[in-house]
Amino acid sequence: MLHTTTDVDVVEKVLENFPGALRNRDFASKVNRILLQREFGSNTILATSFCSDEINRSLEQALVNLFGQNFSMGGLSGFPFAGVTGFGAYCSHIPDGGQSLIVYGPHVGIDAKGNFGMVDRRGISATSTCCGSAVGALGHARAVQEGTAQVTDSPDFFDSQQRWVEKLLFPHLKRIQDSNNEHVELPNALLDCQKEFMNQILKKGESNIPHGTPIAIIGGIQVNTPLEMEDYFCTKSFQILNSRNEVLEDLIDDFNSY
């Protein structure tokens, strides 16, 4: 594979556009160290909500290596499409006296030429879009703006996840178009959508949370890098909630300065 940039160039672009991003294993280790100080131990059960794309499994694996097998809530673009029912099932798996860790967020690729929104995939000579669902939803939003498509309130049963991604992203079209780099702003917009989505799930599913269970919840953006490199995760929010969804501690500043 021919590269026109170096690994250093790619990392510089990642950190320039996603300040504070860490390699997956460094992110997972940092989370583990911070939570151990707050008595999140072997009884912590992990839930993740990342995109279905296979390139996102490396981040899950980095977390699984430290926290054990994960409950997967994620669907296209990383939205927690398992919903309230899935969250309730996850809550029923929390060990007695245990803790909950939820990590969620969208993803974006950067290819070997330094282009965001693209990624190099194993065994494929051409680069491809990443996140494909997100890029597709952005294209649909443009079509709605141009009058050649519509936002539907009745998603196709056989492609319902993508229809919901389109619907939730559409209100953010202007901010994406006004940004310096649409493919950098796109995952930020999606993360805002997903934060609200996740908050509603926690609110509606609160009765399923075992009394006294602390919930560490982390939202961020995964950056998928060229094949020879390790992916990055940019943490945007990090809170510990109680079982009534009240914020016990906001850890984002501690995380960034740790």
Side-chain angles (χ1 to χ4, degrees), residues 74-86:
L76 292 181
S77 286
F79 279 90
F81 284 124
V84 176
T85 298

Side-chain angles (χ1 to χ4, degrees), residues 9-34:
D9 294 329
V10 169
V11 172
E12 286 179 351
K13 282 200 168 188
V14 170
L15 297 180
E16 176 185 352
N17 289 277
F18 298 95
L22 298 171
R23 294 182 302 175
N24 285 349
R25 56 181 166 172
D26 295 332
F27 160 71
S29 294
K30 195 172 185 179
V31 170
N32 188 44
R33 291 195 301 271
I34 290 173

Side-chain angles (χ1 to χ4, degrees), residues 28-83:
S29 294
K30 195 172 185 179
V31 170
N32 188 44
R33 291 195 301 271
I34 290 173
L35 291 182
L36 281 173
Q37 294 174 351
R38 289 157 177 84
E39 299 183 350
F40 279 66
S42 59
N43 275 349
T44 300
I45 185 166
L46 170 68
T48 58
S49 186
F50 304 133
C51 183
S52 308
D53 192 326
E54 72 276 4
I55 59 175
N56 295 315
R57 305 290 73 81
S58 61
L59 174 56
E60 275 181 343
Q61 190 58 53
L63 291 163
V64 164
N65 288 343
L66 294 174
F67 295 101
Q69 291 298 320
N70 64 297
F71 186 101
S72 179
M73 294 182 65
L76 292 181
S77 286
F79 279 90
F81 284 124

